[in-house]
């Protein structure tokens, strides 16, 4: 047991507000620590305790009130040296650095949990200017930190758009909207709200978002075509 090392993640943990997230931490080599003491904390809080496991049971007397009822460790996992913390119903205030401490080893590791808000799929709508051009507007809600909006054509080229409008709500989450004027031949035009902090890490979430966006856009496009008798705008991923 004396040779085990406490190991945390090498990259920040990304989570959405309202979701559950696992903050990983484990011992290498793995040993049974279910009868030991494990402390999860945040040095910037008072009290600092997020979750404490001591001698086979939870010890939450001094737990920070903002985490009450939202944290847990698995006794079964502890038998295999897994000290990971489950944090439920993630909130914006959960963003910060967490310390995983195994008392018997007198060693610790720190990690960062980053929240991005309960992001809505970008909603894209179009307005005809003339027979060859259309104005596309993209809006997305629930972002943190504040994102920038990028428009790409069907070939992946960056389009020049107007200034992004940003509104910060009472929950500290951002709503962004942007407009771009394109030729109708750009039938695959897409908007990408993405934070400068973690654009790469958020790619997989954006893929899911875009799938739902394009399905919704196709439905809107078909409805517009019926309403306008074939003269409606070409929207996100709606091929001519």
């Amino acid at each position: 047991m004396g040779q085990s090392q406490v190991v945390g993640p090498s990259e920040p943990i990304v989570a959405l507000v309202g979701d559950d997230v696992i903050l990983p931490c484990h011992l290498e080599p793995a040993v049974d620590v279910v009868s030991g003491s494990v402390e999860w904390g945040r040095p910037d809080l008072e009290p600092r305790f997020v979750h404490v496991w001591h001698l086979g049971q939870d010890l939450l007397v001094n737990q920070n009130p903002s985490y009450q009822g939202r944290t847990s460790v698995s006794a079964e996992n502890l038998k295999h040296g897994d000290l990971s913390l489950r944090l439920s119903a993630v909130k914006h205030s959960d963003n910060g650095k967490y310390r995983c401490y195994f008392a018997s080893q007198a060693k610790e590791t720190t990690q960062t949990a980053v929240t991005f808000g309960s992001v809505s799929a970008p909603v894209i709508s179009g307005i005809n200017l003339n027979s060859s051009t259309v104005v596309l507007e993209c809006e997305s809600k629930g972002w943190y930190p504040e994102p920038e909006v990028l428009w790409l054509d069907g070939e992946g080229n960056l389009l020049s758009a107007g200034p992004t409008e940003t509104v910060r709500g009472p929950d500290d989450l951002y709503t962004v909207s942007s407009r771009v004027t394109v030729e109708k031949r750009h039938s695959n035009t897409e908007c990408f709200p993405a934070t400068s902090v973690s654009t790469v890490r958020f790619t997989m979430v954006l893929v899911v978002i875009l799938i739902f966006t394009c399905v919704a856009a196709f439905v809107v496009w078909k409805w517009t075509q019926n309403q306008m008798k074939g003269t409606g705008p070409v929207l996100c991923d709606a091929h001519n």
Side-chain angles (χ1 to χ4, degrees):
M1 180 178 294
Q3 297 178 352
S4 294
Q5 300 293 318
V6 180
V7 180
S10 58
E11 296 290 336
I13 305 301
V14 179
L16 297 179
V17 168
D19 285 355
D20 297 347
V21 64
I22 299 295
L23 304 186
C25 180
H26 65 278
L27 295 177
E28 291 184 355
V31 294
D32 185 348
V33 294
V34 72
S35 298
S37 295
V38 178
E39 176 193 309
W40 277 91
R42 277 182 58 179
D44 60 318
L45 297 182
E46 184 58 43
R48 71 178 188 274
F49 302 105
V50 173
H51 193 96
V52 176
W53 175 274
H54 182 65
L55 301 180
Q57 61 183 353
D58 295 319
L59 183 63
L60 306 178
V61 176
N62 295 319
Q63 185 182 39
N64 190 286
S66 65
Y67 290 94
Q68 288 182 358
R70 299 196 299 124
T71 62
S72 63
V73 295
S74 168
E76 185 62 32
N77 290 347
L78 288 173
K79 293 178 182 179
H80 305 286
D82 186 349
L83 317 180
S84 299
L85 177 75
R86 182 180 181 87
L87 178 59
S88 303
V90 168
K91 302 187 294 186
H92 171 252
S93 60
D94 293 336
N95 183 41
K97 291 185 177 180
Y98 291 75
R99 186 184 78 159
C100 173
Y101 178 73
F102 179 43
S104 297
Q105 296 298 104
K107 295 179 182 287
E108 65 183 61
T109 183
T110 59
Q111 63 186 35
T112 302
V114 182
T115 59
F116 279 83
S118 51
V119 182
S120 68
V123 177
I124 302 178
S125 57
I127 303 173
N128 270 330
L129 292 182
N130 51 50
S131 60
S132 62
T133 60
V134 63
V135 174
L136 298 179
E137 181 174 9
C138 174
E139 179 179 284
S140 188
K141 302 178 181 179
W143 287 85
Y144 184 86
E146 180 181 353
E148 62 177 324
V149 179
L150 304 178
W151 286 91
L152 303 179
D153 65 15
E155 299 176 352
N157 299 314
L158 188 64
L159 300 177
S160 177
T164 301
E165 297 181 8
T166 304
V167 177
R168 189 169 188 174
D171 54 3
D172 288 330
L173 302 181
Y174 293 92
T175 297
V176 292
S177 60
S178 175
R179 287 188 175 189
V180 66
T181 302
V182 298
E183 297 180 7
K184 286 187 177 180
R185 64 185 179 85
H186 292 300
S187 60
N188 278 344
T189 302
E190 301 171 335
C191 72
F192 286 82
T195 63
S196 58
V197 174
S198 189
T199 302
V200 175
R201 296 189 195 101
F202 211 61
T203 300
M204 293 186 66
V205 178
L206 282 175
V207 169
V208 177
I209 288 175
L210 286 173
I211 290 173
F212 284 102
T213 299
C214 295
V215 171
F218 179 76
V219 173
V220 173
W221 176 74
K222 291 292 290 183
W223 179 85
T224 303
Q225 293 292 305
N226 293 334
Q227 293 294 315
M228 302 184 68
K229 297 181 179 179
T231 62
V234 178
L235 301 181
C236 170
D237 279 356
H239 296 279
N240 291 328

